[in-house]
C-alpha cells in the first residue's frame, strides 16, 4: 500500500500507485456505505473543518457525510457570509482556523492556487475541494472509481470529456488522472471553451461531437458554467445544445456500451438531454454521487493516517 | 576631489570595446582614460583588473513617492540603486496621485534631490490622472524637467486622444512611452496563454495582445511622426513588427525588462506570486527571441521595471496578487546571466543598460569617454552569491523573484558625478 501525500491538493502530485491505493480503499467504503450501520471510528476524536469560499451543496454534503461516517467532528463554515466579507485575507482566515487545531481542512476557493497557498500556512491535512479552474481531485478520483467499476478497468479506455473545458477544474483533474492511468483522453467543445495549448498536455482536441465521440468508452459531460461566463463564449444555449449537447443520437457515435457521466449539477437541455441523463442503462450519474462519499472517506482516512504518523514521529523527535 | 581608478577593465559601450587601463575622475567628469599615471593629489583606487563601466541608466523604475512611501521612498530607492550600480533612475509617474502636473513634478524633483545619492530624473503622465482622456501640460512638464511621457501600464485606448497627444508631443520633441498590451485581450490575465496557463487554471493572455497594441501604436506614430518608445517588448511575435517600423524610418525604440530575458513562465511554478509581472512572464521561446533581439540591437534598452510591492499585496491567491518585482539591486547580476551564457558581450549589455537609454532621453550619461559625466561603476562580473531578500536588499519592499537564486556579479563601488556613493566593504578596505 502506497500513499505518501500529506495534503490532497491535486491529482498532479499523485503517483499512479497512490491513486490505485486510494481507489482500493474506497471500494471497502462503498460496501460500508451500503450497510444500515455506516459508522467507523478511524477519524474518532479528529476535527474536520469544511471551508467553502464558493457556494456548494453537493460537494460539501458529500465531505460532511464522509467525515461523519468516519467518526470525525465536522464543522461547516460558509465563508461567503463570514469575515472574508469584512476584508480578512485568506491567510489570516487560515491562521485563525489553524489555531483551533483542526486535523483535516476541506477547502473550496474561487481562485486557482488558493488552496495550495493555504496549505503552506497550516499544520493539518488539507483537501482541495476545488480551486478556481485548477483542480478538483476528489471529483476525478470518484469519476475514476465509477469508471473502474462500470468498465472493469481504468486503463486503455477512450474517454471523451465534452463541453466547457476552459472553465472546468473537473476536466483538468480528470485529464491528468486518466493520462496517468494510461487512457486515451479526448476533449470536445467549441474553441472558445477550450484552454489554449491543452493539446500539449497529451490529449486529442475536437470541436465536433461526431468525430470526438467515435469509439469512446466513456462520455463525460461537463456543466456549462453560466456563473463563470464573462460574456460571449457561445452564441446561445440552444445552439450549444444543438452542437454540443449530449442526446441519444450523438451518443450513438460512441461505443454501444459507452457510459455517460456528469459531475453535476446538470443543466438539462443545455449540455445533456434529460431522458438520457435518467437512462439507467447508460447513465452512471447517480453512481458518481455514491462513489463521491466513498472516495472522500478513503482520502480522509489515508491523510489522517499520514498525519498521525507524522505527528507521532515528531513527538518521538524523528525527522520526517 | 580627484579619483584615479587604476588597473581597470574598461567597458566602453559606444566603442563596443573592453580595454585595460586607468581612469581619472575630476570635476564631475571623466577627465582622462588611458595609460597615464595618477594626477597629483588624486585618491587612488586599485580596481585589481575588475570592470569599470558607465553607471546604469534605468528607464522606468517606480519609486512610490508620493502615495506609497511604505513600499519605497526616494531615499531607499536611491540607496538600492547605488548598491546596484544604477547611477540614474528614470522614475515612473504611476504614483498616487500620478505625476501629471508641473507642481507635483517639482515636488518629487525636490524630494528626490534631497534624499537620493544617485541621480533621479522623472517621467510625467501622458494623460491627466493616467485616465486616457485629456493630455497633460506636456510643455510645462518638459520645462519642469520631465524626460518622457507615459501612462505606464494604463493603455490609452481612445485612438483620438492618443493621436492628439502624440501630435502635440511631436511639436515639442517629447518622447512618448507606450505600453503595448491590448487592454481587451489582456483583461484579467495573470499569465501567458498556453500549456502552463491551462495546467495551472490561470486566466491567460495571448502574446498577440502585445503585437496588436504595438501595431496600433505604430499606425499612430506613422500618422503623427512622434518620438515613441515601447516600454517592454516581450514576445517573439512583436519583433518583426518592431524591425519593420524601424526600417520604415519611424522614430521608434523598444525596451524589455531584465526579468523577461532571464526568467520564463515556468518559474511561476506553484503559484509563486513574486513572479507575477506586467506583462506576465513568457514561454522560453519568447525569452530566447527577445534576448537575441537585445543582442542584435532590435530591442534597444534593458530596464529593471523596478516595482516595489509590500508583502501583503503578494500574499494572496495568484490572480488577486499585485504584479511587479523590485529589481534595482538585482538588475546587474541578473542581466549578467546573459553575458555569462554568451548572449551578450559586456559592451553590448552596457549599451542596452546605460548608453541607449541615456541617448534616447537626451542625457549625457552612459558614455565612457573624456568629458562624459563621472557616473561610473566598478564591479566584479564573476563574483558569486546567493540572494537573501531580507538581509541583502536595501529596497523597502523585498518582492524579488531571485530570492534564494545563485547569481554572479557584484558592484564594488558606484560613483555619481565623481563622488563615491557606494562602496562594498572589501573595496573600502582596499581603497583605503
Amino acid at each position: 500500500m502506497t500513499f505518501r501525500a500529506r495534503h490532497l491538493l491535486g491529482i498532479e502530485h499523485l503517483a499512479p500507485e497512490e491513486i490505485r491505493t486510494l481507489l482500493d480503499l474506497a471500494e471497502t467504503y462503498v460496501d460500508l456505505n451500503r450497510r444500515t450501520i455506516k459508522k467507523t471510528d478511524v477519524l474518532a476524536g479528529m476535527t474536520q473543518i469544511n471551508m467553502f469560499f464558493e457556494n456548494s451543496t453537493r460537494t460539501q454534503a458529500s465531505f460532511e457525510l464522509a467525515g461523519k461516517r468516519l467518526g470525525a467532528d465536522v464543522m461547516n463554515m460558509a465563508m461567503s457570509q463570514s469575515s472574508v466579507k469584512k476584508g480578512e485575507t485568506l491567510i489570516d482566515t487560515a491562521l485563525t482556523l489553524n489555531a483551533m487545531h483542526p486535523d483535516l481542512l476541506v477547502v473550496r476557493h474561487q481562485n486557482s492556487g488558493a488552496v495550495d497557498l493555504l496549505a503552506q500556512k497550516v499544520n493539518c491535512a488539507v483537501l482541495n475541494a476545488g480551486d478556481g479552474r485548477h483542480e478538483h481531485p476528489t471529483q476525478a478520483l470518484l469519476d475514476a472509481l465509477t469508471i473502474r467499476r462500470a468498465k472493469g478497468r481504468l486503463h486503455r479506455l477512450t474517454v471523451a470529456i465534452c463541453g466547457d473545458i476552459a472553465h472546468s477544474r473537473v476536466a483538468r483533474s480528470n485529464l491528468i488522472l486518466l493520462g496517468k492511468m494510461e487512457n486515451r483522453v479526448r476533449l470536445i467543445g467549441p474553441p472558445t471553451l477550450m484552454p489554449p495549448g491543452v493539446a500539449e498536455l497529451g490529449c486529442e482536441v475536437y470541436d465536433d461531437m461526431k468525430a470526438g465521440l467515435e469509439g469512446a468508452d466513456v462520455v463525460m459531460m461537463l456543466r456549462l458554467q453560466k456563473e463563470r461566463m464573462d460574456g460571449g463564449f457561445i452564441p446561445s444555449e440552444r445552439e450549444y445544445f444543438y452542437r454540443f449537447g449530449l442526446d441519444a443520437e450523438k451518443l450513438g457515435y460512441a461505443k454501444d456500451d459507452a457510459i455517460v457521466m456528469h459531475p453535476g449539477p446538470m443543466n438539462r437541455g443545455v449540455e445533456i438531454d434529460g431522458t438520457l441523463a435518467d437512462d439507467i442503462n447508460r447513465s452512471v450519474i447517480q453512481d458518481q454521487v455514491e462513489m463521491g462519499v466513498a472516495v472522500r472517506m478513503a482520502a480522509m482516512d489515508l491523510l489522517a493516517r499520514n498525519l498521525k504518523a507524522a505527528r507521532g514521529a515528531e513527538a518521538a523527535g524523528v525527522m520526517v | 576631489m580627484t579619483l584615479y581608478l587604476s588597473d581597470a577593465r574598461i567597458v566602453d559601450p559606444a566603442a563596443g570595446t573592453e580595454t585595460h587601463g586607468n581612469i581619472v575622475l575630476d570635476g564631475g567628469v571623466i577627465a582622462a582614460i588611458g595609460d597615464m599615471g595618477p594626477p597629483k593629489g588624486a585618491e587612488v583606487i586599485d580596481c585589481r583588473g575588475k570592470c569599470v563601466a558607465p553607471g546604469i541608466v534605468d528607464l522606468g523604475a517606480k519609486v512610490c513617492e508620493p502615495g506609497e512611501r511604505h513600499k519605497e521612498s526616494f531615499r531607499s530607492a536611491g540607496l538600492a540603486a547605488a548598491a546596484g550600480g544604477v547611477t540614474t533612475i528614470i522614475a515612473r509617474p504611476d504614483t498616487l496621485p500620478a505625476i501629471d502636473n508641473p507642481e507635483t513634478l517639482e515636488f518629487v524633483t525636490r524630494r528626490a534631490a534631497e534624499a537620493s545619492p544617485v541621480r533621479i530624473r522623472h517621467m510625467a503622465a501622458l494623460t491627466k490622472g493616467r485616465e486616457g482622456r485629456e493630455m497633460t501640460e506636456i510643455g510645462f512638464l518638459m520645462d519642469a524637467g520631465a524626460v518622457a511621457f507615459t501612462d505606464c501600464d494604463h493603455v490609452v485606448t481612445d485612438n483620438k486622444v492618443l493621436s492628439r497627444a502624440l501630435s502635440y508631443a511631436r511639436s515639442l520633441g517629447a518622447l512618448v512611452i507606450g505600453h503595448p498590451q491590448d487592454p481587451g485581450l489582456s483583461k484579467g490575465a495573470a499569465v501567458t496563454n498556453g500549456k502552463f496557463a491551462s495546467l495551472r487554471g490561470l486566466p491567460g493572455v495571448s502574446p498577440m495582445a502585445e503585437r496588436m497594441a504595438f501595431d496600433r501604436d505604430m499606425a499612430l506614430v506613422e500618422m503623427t511622426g512622434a518620438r515613441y518608445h515601447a516600454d517592454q517588448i516581450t514576445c517573439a511575435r512583436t519583433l518583426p513588427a518592431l524591425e519593420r517600423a524601424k526600417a520604415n524610418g519611424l522614430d521608434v525604440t523598444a525596451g524589455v525588462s531584465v526579468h523577461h530575458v532571464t526568467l520564463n513562465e515556468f518559474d511561476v511554478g506553484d503559484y509563486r506570486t513574486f513572479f507575477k509581472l506586467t506583462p506576465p512572464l513568457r514561454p522560453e521561446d519568447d525569452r530566447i527571441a527577445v534576448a537575441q533581439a537585445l543582442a542584435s540591437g532590435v530591442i534597444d534598452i534593458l530596464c529593471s521595471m523596478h516595482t516595489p510591492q509590500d508583502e501583503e499585496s503578494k500574499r494572496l491567491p495568484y490572480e488577486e496578487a499585485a504584479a511587479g518585482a523590485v529589481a534595482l539591486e538585482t538588475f546587474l547580476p541578473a542581466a549578467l546571466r546573459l553575458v555569462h551564457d554568451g548572449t551578450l558581450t559586456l559592451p553590448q549589455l552596457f549599451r542596452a543598460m546605460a548608453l541607449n537609454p541615456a541617448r534616447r532621453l537626451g542625457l549625457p550619461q552612459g558614455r565612457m569617454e573624456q568629458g562624459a559625466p563621472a557616473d561610473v561603476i566598478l564591479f566584479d562580473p564573476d563574483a558569486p552569491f546567493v540572494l537573501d531578500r531580507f538581509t541583502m536588499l536595501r529596497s523597502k519592499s523585498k518582492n524579488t523573484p531571485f530570492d534564494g537564486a545563485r547569481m554572479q556579479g557584484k558592484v564594488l563601488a558606484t560613483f555619481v558625478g565623481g563622488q563615491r556613493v557606494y562602496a562594498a566593504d572589501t573595496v573600502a578596505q582596499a581603497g583605503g
Side-chain angles (χ1 to χ4, degrees), chain A:
Chain A
M1 193 186 108
T2 321
F3 194 85
R4 292 183 212 89
R6 186 173 164 225
H7 305 294
L8 183 60
L9 300 177
I11 299 296
E12 196 188 345
H13 307 292
L14 293 181
E17 190 50 42
E18 289 179 302
I19 294 169
R20 256 178 242 120
T21 299
L22 198 150
L23 296 182
D24 291 346
L25 181 61
E27 292 278 6
T28 68
Y29 285 119
V30 174
D31 297 339
L32 178 75
N33 287 337
R34 287 180 180 178
R35 291 187 210 144
T36 312
I37 306 299
K38 304 177 176 67
K39 198 122 175 163
T40 69
D41 59 357
V42 302
L43 294 188
M46 298 183 101
T47 305
Q48 173 193 340
I49 300 182
N50 297 336
M51 290 169 81
F52 281 67
F53 292 88
E54 211 178 55
N55 288 330
S56 153
T57 313
R58 309 156 60 96
T59 308
Q60 186 172 338
S62 183
F63 269 109
E64 183 176 354
L65 204 53
K68 285 181 169 164
R69 286 185 182 164
L70 293 173
D73 296 314
V74 185
M75 181 168 80
N76 288 316
M77 300 192 65
M79 303 308 293
S80 50
Q81 309 145 19
S82 76
S83 50
V84 176
K85 281 255 163 77
K86 298 174 194 162
E88 188 175 63
T89 66
L90 177 65
I91 289 176
D92 285 333
T93 307
L95 293 177
T96 304
L97 283 179
N98 194 47
M100 299 178 193
H101 297 290
D103 303 289
L104 294 154
L105 210 49
V106 179
V107 186
R108 170 171 286 190
H109 197 280
Q110 63 277 11
N111 288 134
S112 303
V115 183
D116 292 64
L117 177 68
L118 199 141
Q120 293 164 17
K121 307 289 171 187
V122 297
N123 45 22
C124 60
V126 176
L127 286 98
N128 182 359
D131 62 326
R133 314 166 175 188
H134 179 218
E135 283 231 43
H136 190 355
T138 56
Q139 179 71 43
L141 288 163
L142 75 87
D143 288 340
L145 186 60
T146 310
I147 294 170
R148 196 170 82 169
R149 287 169 68 98
K151 291 281 156 198
R153 66 177 199 272
L154 188 58
H155 54 90
R156 294 192 163 209
L157 293 167
T158 301
V159 182
I161 306 177
C162 318
D164 180 3
I165 313 286
H167 297 96
S168 176
R169 52 198 174 212
V170 176
R172 275 177 187 71
S173 287
N174 266 309
L175 173 61
I176 299 168
L177 188 148
L178 293 167
K180 279 186 197 254
M181 307 313 279
E182 295 172 16
N183 296 282
R184 189 169 168 186
V185 181
R186 297 176 182 169
L187 302 179
I188 314 171
T192 47
L193 295 175
M194 198 59 74
V198 75
E200 291 170 50
L201 298 176
C203 55
E204 300 157 46
V205 176
Y206 294 87
D207 57 12
D208 172 56
M209 287 288 268
K210 186 175 177 183
L213 290 179
E214 186 79 47
D217 296 290
V218 177
V219 182
M220 201 180 274
M221 300 307 296
L222 296 173
R223 188 165 63 93
L224 192 65
Q225 307 223 16
K226 291 183 201 167
E227 71 271 22
R228 283 177 204 274
M229 293 285 168
D230 54 8
F233 286 89
I234 52 166
S236 70
E237 284 183 6
R238 61 180 190 176
E239 179 163 328
Y240 182 81
F241 182 67
Y242 178 74
R243 292 192 60 211
F244 297 98
L246 189 69
D247 53 20
E249 188 201 328
K250 294 201 191 83
L251 185 58
Y253 304 131
K255 279 193 184 155
D256 292 341
D257 62 349
I259 55 168
V260 175
M261 304 177 75
H262 194 297
M266 285 181 280
N267 299 310
R268 288 172 186 257
V270 179
E271 71 259 352
I272 189 162
D273 175 67
T275 320
L276 190 59
D278 298 332
D279 180 354
I280 52 162
N281 295 315
R282 307 304 293 274
S283 164
V284 294
I285 295 171
Q286 296 309 313
D287 298 340
Q288 288 175 273
V289 179
E290 185 189 354
M291 295 310 124
V293 180
V295 155
R296 286 168 182 130
M297 289 169 80
M300 290 197 285
D301 182 355
L302 291 169
L303 289 176
R305 290 183 207 185
N306 289 353
L307 185 72
K308 283 179 194 164
R311 285 182 182 164
E314 212 173 287
V318 185
M319 290 285 286
V320 282

Side-chain angles (χ1 to χ4, degrees), chain B residues 22-88:
Chain B
N22 310 319
I23 302 170
V24 179
L25 307 180
D26 188 30
V29 297
I30 298 172
I33 303 173
D35 296 333
M36 67 286 159
K40 211 172 167 188
E43 181 189 335
V44 178
I45 295 170
D46 182 0
C47 300
R48 300 178 179 192
K50 304 299 184 205
C51 294
V52 175
I56 297 167
V57 177
D58 188 10
L59 177 53
K62 183 168 177 180
V63 179
C64 303
E65 268 196 68
E68 295 174 295
R69 255 172 87 179
H70 68 289
K71 293 185 179 176
E72 193 83 289
S73 66
F74 284 116
R75 182 80 191 149
S76 63
L79 291 171
V86 175
T87 52
T88 306

Side-chain angles (χ1 to χ4, degrees), chain B residues 91-115:
Chain B
R92 301 210 304 256
D94 54 344
T95 46
L96 296 171
I99 299 167
D100 61 356
N101 61 70
E103 292 76 16
T104 313
L105 180 57
E106 277 163 20
F107 168 75
V108 292
T109 305
R110 198 170 59 243
R111 280 280 308 140
E114 284 164 10

